[in-house]
Amino acid sequence: MSTIKLSIDGQEVEVEQGATVFQAAREAGISIPTICDHKDLSPYGACRMCVVEIEGVRGFPTSCTTPATQGMQVSTRTKRLTDLRNCTLELLFSGHPNSCFACPHREPCETHRPQATKAGRSTRCGFCANREECDLREMVLTSERQELKLPVMYSAYKLERDDPFMDRDYNLCVLCGRCWRICEKIHGEPAISIINRGKWSKISTAFDKSHLESGCNFCGACIDICPTGTLMDRYARWQGKPEHESVSACILCPNGCSVKAENKGGKLLAYTMPGFEAEDRLCALGRFGAAQIVNSTKRLTRPLVREDGDQIPMSWDDALQSVGKGLIARRGTVVVVISATTTREERFIYDRLATALQGHLIVLPFEADCETPKIKELSDSVQQGKVQALITNGPLVSPQILKNVEFSLVIDCLESMASQLATIVLPSAILSEVDGTFKTSSGKIRTLSKSSILPGGARPEWMIICLIAKVLGLNGFDFDRAETITSLIQDDPAPEKFEREPRNNCRDIPIRFRGHLVADFVPGLKAFELPTTLVDEAEDEICNGFALLEKKEIAPNMHLLIIEAPQVARFALPGQFVILMAKETSERSPFTLADWDANAGTISLIIEEVGRSSRELTSLTAGDQLAHVSGPLGLPLSIQEKGTIFLGGGCYGIGAIFPLARILHEAGNRVICMIEAASSHLLYWQQELAEVCDELLIATKDGSGGMHGGIQEGVSSVTEKEHINQCIIIGCTFMMQQVSDLTKTFDIPTLVALNPIMVDGTGMCGACRVSIANQTQFACVDGPFFDGHKVDWEELTLRRNAYAPQEIQALPQGIHLTSCLPTSTLKMGD
Amino acid sequence: MSEILPMSLLPSLLAAYDRERENLIPLLQKMQESFHCLSPETVKAVADHLHLSENDVYGVATFYSQIRFIPPGRHHIRVCDGTACHVRGSDRILEAVEKSTGVQPGQTSEDGSFSVERVACFGSCALAPVMVVDDKVFGRMTGTATRKLIEGKE
Ligand code: SF4
Ligand code: SF4
Ligand code: SF4
Ligand code: FES
């Protein structure tokens, strides 16, 4: 093919005929900003970030759609272009949350919260799971102008969480079109499209159907190519950016697809496509299921040996000795049953062990259950006493066989009926924890490379077999790496072809993996009607407790709940809190009372959706019942006449300061209320607060309403005009700490309402321990109010974050918890 | 407006068009003309006929404000919410329309008398805020004028 020469920023560049100016620049190592362009997609020209100047060409053409021509003189970095790009960026961000960029506290905030808050709606970068790897954010932070002058128009689209594996929040979408373009490229007929026009343009499906009905195959390509936090892998969402990526293969079915294993801290986050071509596509099980299987809480992690009827955890050495005894006595009557989805090395070594024990190996087709003829035959042999010992790497044989054999060894990664019945269980590695090779049903050899850390005492199967052989004194098992086995394998058969094609239809995904029902470990698969052995307790549970009378999302993520709780309403005092449980199985979590009505017998709470418990609560709708409401708890605020009182509230604290303002005002104080939010559309209850205080001040982090900044800035500005006798601050730990640090320098007595993790709320469990002036106090009975100048903030932050990984793991993966609120309950930004 | 055709004619209507993507818009227009609006059924039929995804067809259909998904009422009210009208208070007009007809944008009243639609720009920005009732343009509208206009139609 012929080439052409052009000049870009004075640099001579030679490219193939047909290349675009953008491609030419990329080849020459000159980077032009872009959002909609992607190297694996054809040019689209939607974002206009890639504008350039070309001599002799009028205006500012988009380089991604302009073909390079011979002798072209291109400039990519003039002042005019920078201005233009900044304008474009600003327009782009007028429909996208942007308050973090304009926030004067961004740096300390990011230090305090190294990981984004796992909110329902991502209303700013600090609440967005994409923060660590966001192209858009990067572009603003590296651009010369970070102040975005246009106010945010928050679209208030509903959150889409009503199908498996994906969370979609189109309030973050910049309409770059990468998602539907990749979907079309991979599947031909896209499952998503751009609908409507003008400011109502949106990525959606026909008639707004769920992805389960739009022809989506759940390949995840759109998630991986989206430059923003709009499309998210629900399981990996809050776990942060992958630290390690390696090419491996998925062996959940005989297709043995190539994958990119993404790990963080030795933990598999996801298998993703190794590239963005149609042949790289994965099925829903590989893309979304693999990580859930590897990280399942049902992993086997310790050797178990049956003694007097019970399985007892044991050391590897002791367990291996028991295996040795069990097998040596039964030489000649041993059968090894494994699944076809086992690595070649492991199959080889199982075979060698079977031969050495004068037994034989049965390899079952990958989706086989206990009804296959081979297993029926085996059952007969067991009955006749010809087989006395069994080794298997999954629940591959019937419970009857396991009960009838004298000795059974299960080498497996996941709990099952087989592991429960086994004489001995040895925990093994799976998928991303394994090194080796796999022959696909089409005969290709793929390499698996270990990238994740094995849980507890689990070991790779080939190693387990070598250890057993050693105890038995067998020769020919001196392998120290899987690789050393590979060269010995000759003419191994390819596994039988999988008749269905799960990559083209998500309803065709394999039902089993090594005898396990995959839906037992990947709850989202139930949406495809895959069978499971487990019953979902949570689903049918009907609570009989406290009636939820009203539920409204009054600002993005902020939900007002009005609950019937006459006993609480009757005794409540300002500053007290309640502990709620949405369901009998929920965690107990504390929430400050925002209001109550003793006559009506109701209490009002403002709950912010930032994790599992609050999600359970905010997913309820009026008419539902809460399992438990206990309270009122904590010491009420002591109400005295002090003079001027400054009440500061952020997030849920806006609601929490309301009853305090009312009573302090009634007690004759001059009450100044100040509320803060990232942006003005996130504020609520301005009217309500204004009615119960002398002065209402507002601060927003992006300056879109009231003062630019937060409560800190408010305190400073008030002190310039008048003396404050008392500050009372309620909000996130970061804000309370910042304000306390400041008021200390002004010598203003400051009370903060602490929000540590609580369990019982009666001072018994000690979970809510806080250090105040080096003294241990319990926030539930001694608090919630403490002297902000004496709190050990560092300890509080550490204690609050103690369960961060578990909290992420606890986020629901199923689809029964949805919050598909009609747009109309939310206000639009203006 | 012509009579609504029976759905059973759908296959023969489609058959008159080659299975080419370029026939998408003519087909959508044909569907609307024949059935007065588009439905999930017609979108699926068009998609199948042209070997396109329904999502794709729906995306194209929703791009054009002439294409409807609800049968129009006897009086079709369109309120502009383009930038110029928005700035000059189109939300007040919409509110007035909703109040006097009881119909939300994108819907038709139960008795079939009114349908309401929100559109992005008629090209009459100088007259903002603008509404169009049964193809007649009314400019510089206020809430009161809107109510009066609609009452006159009842
Ligand atoms: S996608 Fe998320 S991280 Fe990126 S700019 Fe938007 S809010 Fe910030
Ligand atoms: S969802 Fe993501 S990929 Fe799709 S258009 Fe929006 S920002 Fe782009
Ligand atoms: S998951 Fe795959 S099939 Fe589904 S919308 Fe995204 S790219 Fe398309
Ligand atoms: S990269 Fe060229 S317009 Fe987006």
Side-chain angles (χ1 to χ4, degrees):
Chain A
M1 198 182 254
S2 61
T3 62
I4 47 164
K5 281 190 188 142
L6 68 160
S7 132
I8 305 180
D9 293 341
Q11 187 178 330
E12 173 127 322
V13 184
E14 191 170 346
V15 283
E16 278 181 7
Q17 183 112 38
T20 63
V21 172
F22 189 91
Q23 286 159 346
R26 180 152 52 203
E27 240 158 79
I30 298 167
S31 88
I32 300 177
T34 165
I35 291 166
C36 70
D37 192 76
H38 187 279
K39 64 176 181 27
D40 297 315
L41 291 171
S42 37
Y44 185 50
C47 73
R48 298 201 58 82
M49 283 302 288
C50 67
V51 284
V52 291
E53 288 187 75
I54 300 173
E55 227 169 271
V57 177
R58 269 187 53 206
F60 305 91
T62 48
S63 60
C64 71
T65 53
T66 308
T69 54
Q70 179 67 31
M72 211 178 222
Q73 306 271 331
V74 183
S75 314
T76 73
R77 256 173 285 195
T78 65
K79 166 89 176 57
R80 275 190 298 180
L81 287 173
T82 309
D83 287 348
L84 202 60
R85 285 190 194 128
N86 280 342
C87 274
T88 307
L89 207 54
E90 194 161 314
L91 279 169
L92 203 79
F93 266 101
S94 66
H96 187 98
N98 61 38
S99 49
C100 292
F101 303 122
C103 175
H105 315 124
R106 179 161 61 82
E107 275 169 40
C109 172
E110 283 169 13
T111 317
H112 181 87
R113 280 184 270 253
Q115 282 188 327
T117 303
K118 42 189 191 320
R121 293 172 182 273
S122 296
T123 50
R124 51 183 170 277
C125 300
F127 274 25
C128 179
N130 203 44
R131 185 174 74 173
E132 288 175 55
E133 44 190 335
C134 184
D135 302 350
L136 212 58
R137 178 177 152 90
E138 181 67 25
M139 207 170 280
V140 181
L141 294 181
T142 52
S143 79
E144 279 147 51
R145 183 162 42 161
Q146 293 177 14
E147 287 280 299
L148 300 156
K149 294 269 154 40
L150 289 177
V152 183
M153 298 267 293
Y154 187 72
S155 316
Y157 290 128
K158 69 173 197 223
L159 292 178
E160 299 189 8
R161 311 196 270 207
D162 49 357
D163 43 42
F165 311 122
M166 297 194 241
D167 281 349
R168 294 183 301 272
D169 181 351
Y170 284 108
N171 298 301
L172 299 175
C173 175
V174 294
L175 293 171
C176 69
R178 285 193 193 182
C179 53
W180 71 261
R181 287 184 290 148
I182 194 67
C183 190
E184 182 171 57
K185 177 176 171 186
I186 291 179
H187 304 282
E189 295 184 3
I192 41 180
S193 176
I194 183 155
I195 65 156
N196 300 335
R197 67 168 176 163
K199 66 179 183 198
W200 302 302
S201 303
K202 182 178 176 284
I203 302 295
S204 187
T205 58
F207 302 98
D208 212 9
K209 288 185 205 160
S210 104
H211 276 224
L212 276 169
E213 294 158 71
S214 79
C216 172
N217 287 320
F218 297 90
C219 73
C222 52
I223 295 177
D224 298 329
I225 210 162
C226 172
T228 69
T230 309
L231 309 179
M232 283 289 173
D233 170 345
R234 184 174 299 146
Y235 179 79
R237 181 167 177 192
W238 299 105
Q239 320 230 26
K241 186 181 171 174
E243 286 162 356
H244 182 263
E245 290 179 353
S246 55
V247 175
S248 190
C250 168
I251 58 168
L252 287 166
C253 89
N255 280 342
C257 297
S258 275
V259 296
K260 192 162 77 184
E262 298 188 348
N263 281 271
K264 183 181 178 187
K267 175 179 163 140
L268 184 69
L269 300 183
Y271 274 168
T272 57
M273 307 201 304
F276 284 111
E277 300 303 325
E279 62 269 20
D280 293 325
R281 73 197 190 281
L282 299 178
C283 77
L285 180 62
R287 173 63 182 81
F288 297 103
Q292 292 188 44
I293 294 175
V294 173
N295 298 309
S296 171
T297 49
K298 299 180 186 101
R299 284 295 299 272
L300 294 166
T301 55
R302 293 186 295 188
L304 300 169
V305 176
R306 193 172 295 278
E307 276 184 4
D308 302 328
D310 291 324
Q311 284 179 338
I312 315 284
M314 280 208 188
S315 71
W316 270 95
D317 281 344
D318 293 343
L320 287 167
Q321 289 303 329
S322 305
V323 172
K325 272 186 226 141
L327 289 177
I328 248 172
R330 297 182 179 84
R331 216 179 246 266
T333 67
V334 181
V335 165
V336 180
V337 181
I338 63 167
S339 159
T341 37
T342 301
T343 65
R344 296 168 71 226
E345 291 70 16
E346 285 163 347
R347 180 180 177 146
F348 176 87
I349 205 106
Y350 274 116
D351 192 28
R352 191 169 262 200
L353 180 72
T355 313
L357 290 170
Q358 292 141 26
H360 68 282
L361 174 74
I362 300 175
V363 180
L364 294 180
F366 95 105
E367 234 189 346
D369 58 17
C370 319
E371 302 300 313
T372 47
K374 281 183 186 166
I375 294 302
K376 290 232 165 95
E377 252 168 61
L378 177 63
S379 185
D380 294 341
S381 312
V382 172
Q383 291 274 334
Q384 294 153 9
K386 283 190 244 161
V387 171
Q388 290 167 6
L390 174 81
I391 303 176
T392 175
N393 74 347
L396 299 164
V397 301
S398 60
Q400 216 46 49
I401 296 182
L402 284 159
K403 284 181 195 150
N404 289 347
V405 287
E406 292 172 12
F407 178 85
S408 55
L409 167 61
V410 170
I411 302 174
D412 197 7
C413 45
L414 295 160
E415 283 170 16
S416 66
M417 150 291 286
S419 70
Q420 280 160 18
L421 293 173
T423 319
I424 299 182
V425 178
L426 297 177
S428 64
I430 34 168
L431 299 171
S432 60
E433 300 158 0
V434 176
D435 273 321
T437 57
F438 182 73
K439 190 177 260 184
T440 69
S441 52
S442 56
K444 278 199 204 81
I445 304 234
R446 301 230 195 259
T447 305
L448 278 78
S449 67
K450 171 182 179 297
S451 55
S452 314
I453 295 173
L454 276 59
R459 295 186 177 178
E461 283 167 75
W462 63 264
M463 188 192 282
I464 296 173
I465 300 300
C466 292
L467 291 169
I468 293 173
K470 203 166 168 196
V471 175
L472 292 171
L474 302 173
N475 290 328
F477 290 88
D478 281 335
F479 301 106
D480 58 354
R481 275 171 303 132
E483 238 182 287
T484 48
I485 305 172
T486 320
S487 59
L488 303 174
I489 304 170
Q490 278 166 358
D491 307 327
D492 57 327
E496 265 171 56
K497 199 175 147 32
F498 183 21
E499 290 309 328
R500 308 189 302 268
E501 180 41 281
R503 287 176 296 175
N504 294 349
N505 184 351
C506 55
R507 280 155 182 94
D508 276 350
I509 61 177
I511 293 169
R512 285 171 212 280
F513 167 62
R514 294 196 184 176
H516 298 278
L517 290 175
V518 285
D520 285 353
F521 309 97
V522 186
L525 292 174
K526 280 182 247 168
F528 307 143
E529 282 158 24
L530 257 65
T532 85
T533 53
L534 310 169
V535 272
D536 197 335
E537 323 92 39
E539 242 160 345
D540 319 318
E541 191 184 313
I542 300 162
C543 289
N544 261 325
F546 297 79
L548 179 60
L549 304 174
E550 204 181 318
K551 165 45 235 284
K552 248 203 316 232
E553 190 173 13
I554 53 173
N557 289 327
M558 295 293 170
H559 300 254
L560 168 69
L561 278 77
I562 301 182
I563 303 166
E564 187 169 42
Q567 289 301 312
V568 183
R570 195 164 144 213
F571 297 106
L573 289 168
Q576 288 190 298
F577 63 92
V578 287
I579 285 188
L580 303 186
M581 285 169 78
K583 295 181 289 186
E584 285 296 344
T585 47
S586 301
E587 195 183 47
R588 296 165 61 87
S589 14
F591 297 95
T592 308
L593 288 165
D595 204 0
W596 56 91
D597 182 337
N599 293 328
T602 60
I603 56 171
S604 306
L605 304 161
I606 300 289
I607 299 183
E608 183 177 23
E609 193 199 321
V610 284
R612 163 109 198 189
S613 305
S614 50
R615 169 123 171 232
E616 282 177 355
L617 289 161
T618 57
S619 301
L620 298 171
T621 50
D624 286 347
Q625 301 265 326
L626 278 81
H628 287 291
V629 177
S630 32
L633 298 166
L635 298 176
L637 184 76
S638 86
I639 307 302
Q640 293 160 2
E641 208 193 313
K642 292 212 167 160
T644 301
I645 300 188
F646 179 98
L647 282 170
C651 309
Y652 69 92
I654 298 179
I657 62 169
F658 173 75
L660 306 184
R662 185 171 52 194
I663 192 145
L664 289 166
H665 183 73
E666 279 165 11
N669 293 288
R670 169 169 159 72
V671 176
I672 303 174
C673 280
M674 172 145 212
I675 55 176
E676 66 159 37
S679 188
S680 56
H681 68 280
L682 302 169
L683 291 163
Y684 59 94
W685 277 18
Q686 292 97 312
Q687 190 63 41
E688 284 82 347
L689 277 166
E691 279 166 19
V692 296
C693 69
D694 295 277
E695 200 178 340
L696 175 67
L697 302 173
I698 285 170
T700 50
K701 304 282 176 138
D702 61 357
S704 59
M707 196 179 286
H708 184 191
I711 305 287
Q712 301 91 302
E713 282 74 10
V715 174
S716 305
S717 87
V718 171
T719 50
E720 276 168 27
K721 284 177 280 172
E722 60 184 301
H723 179 70
I724 301 174
N725 299 89
Q726 171 85 61
C727 270
I728 303 171
I729 310 297
I730 310 181
C732 68
T733 316
F734 169 72
M735 186 271 274
M736 292 194 287
Q737 174 179 8
Q738 292 255 313
V739 178
S740 299
D741 288 350
L742 181 76
T743 56
K744 199 169 185 174
T745 64
F746 294 144
D747 231 352
I748 308 172
T750 299
L751 287 175
V752 289
L754 295 190
N755 48 359
I757 295 173
M758 289 189 188
V759 180
D760 66 318
T762 60
M764 283 195 308
C765 73
C768 65
R769 185 162 71 78
V770 289
S771 297
I772 312 294
N774 294 323
Q775 296 249 311
T776 294
Q777 306 245 301
F778 292 145
C780 70
V781 286
D782 304 324
F785 294 100
F786 293 104
D787 182 343
H789 302 154
K790 298 195 175 137
V791 174
D792 183 341
W793 292 103
E794 212 168 300
E795 183 199 63
L796 178 65
T797 308
L798 280 174
R799 288 183 67 90
R800 277 183 58 84
N801 293 340
Y803 297 100
Q806 287 85 345
E807 283 170 20
I808 292 169
Q809 187 88 24
L811 286 171
Q813 295 303 322
I815 56 168
H816 55 278
L817 276 180
T818 55
S819 164
C820 302
L821 287 154
T823 312
S824 59
T825 63
L826 276 180
K827 354 170 227 188
M828 297 271 277
D830 42 288
Chain B
M1 203 182 292
S2 58
E3 278 297 294
I4 300 187
L5 300 182
M7 265 298 165
S8 54
L9 290 181
L10 185 57
S12 58
L13 290 172
L14 292 166
Y17 293 80
D18 285 343
R19 296 174 185 268
E20 303 289 340
R21 190 183 171 112
E22 61 194 42
N23 281 331
L24 176 54
I25 290 171
L27 252 174
L28 291 175
Q29 283 169 327
K30 185 76 192 170
M31 293 294 121
Q32 170 137 319
E33 184 194 310
S34 315
F35 307 113
H36 290 195
C37 68
L38 266 71
S39 63
E41 196 181 348
T42 43
V43 167
K44 182 166 187 336
V46 170
D48 288 348
H49 185 73
L50 300 179
H51 303 300
L52 296 171
S53 100
E54 278 172 65
N55 308 300
D56 198 354
V57 172
Y58 183 79
V60 173
T62 52
F63 183 81
Y64 298 100
S65 56
Q66 292 90 336
I67 305 250
R68 287 184 303 265
F69 287 88
I70 44 154
R74 278 190 298 284
H75 300 292
H76 188 54
I77 305 171
R78 287 180 288 170
V79 180
C80 179
D81 195 19
T83 313
C85 291
H86 186 84
V87 174
R88 315 234 14 198
S90 57
D91 45 344
R92 283 196 296 277
I93 312 299
L94 256 175
E95 212 179 280
V97 169
E98 277 181 46
K99 274 229 177 78
S100 8
T101 60
V103 181
Q104 299 262 336
Q107 289 175 2
T108 299
S109 56
E110 269 175 37
D111 63 0
S113 51
F114 290 105
S115 50
V116 179
E117 202 182 332
R118 189 164 62 164
V119 288
C121 204
F122 287 110
S124 316
C125 305
L127 297 178
V130 171
M131 68 191 280
V132 175
V133 182
D134 302 334
D135 296 324
K136 197 161 178 294
V137 180
F138 298 86
R140 303 218 174 81
M141 290 306 283
T142 60
T144 326
T146 306
R147 268 191 296 278
K148 283 220 180 93
L149 181 68
I150 292 170
E151 274 157 27
K153 300 273 170 199
E154 269 164 335

